[in-house]
Amino acid sequence: MIKQTLYFGNPAYLSLSNHQMIWKSPLPKNTVKKIPKILNTEYEKSFDIDDIGFVVFDNSQITITQALLSELMEKC
């Protein structure tokens, strides 16, 4: 199976849940005006840890939980 290379170039919050990497990112400021605050205020996507080959972090506003970091290091 081909492993994924993940690139994060925008602010993001990365965490671990059920052996999945959870990526959350705030909506762009120009989009927030169009969407009522009652609705979601961030994007969210998950990636299976076993499918990840490389992760590139290219922003100083990325938060990574210790649990996710440990899981990623274990898979190397």
Side-chain angles (χ1 to χ4, degrees):
M1 175 181 227
I2 296 175
K3 302 280 186 166
Q4 295 180 359
T5 298
L6 301 177
Y7 173 82
F8 298 97
N10 294 323
Y13 178 80
L14 303 171
S15 61
L16 182 70
S17 178
N18 297 328
H19 204 61
Q20 300 270 324
M21 173 194 276
I22 308 297
W23 166 76
K24 293 182 184 177
S25 180
L27 288 172
K29 291 183 180 183
N30 59 352
T31 317
V32 174
K33 294 177 184 174
K34 299 175 187 174
I35 299 174
K37 289 190 177 194
I38 297 171
L39 299 176
N40 291 337
T41 57
E42 53 185 31
Y43 295 119
E44 184 174 323
K45 185 167 172 124
S46 63
F47 303 93
D48 189 9
I49 294 288
D50 293 328
D51 294 339
I52 298 173
F54 294 96
V55 183
V56 179
F57 304 110
D58 193 19
N59 193 303
S60 61
Q61 295 179 328
I62 295 174
T63 302
I64 309 164
T65 64
Q66 180 64 38
L68 175 61
L69 201 53
S70 295
E71 188 76 19
L72 290 172
M73 289 189 324
E74 187 177 303
K75 295 297 176 182
C76 288

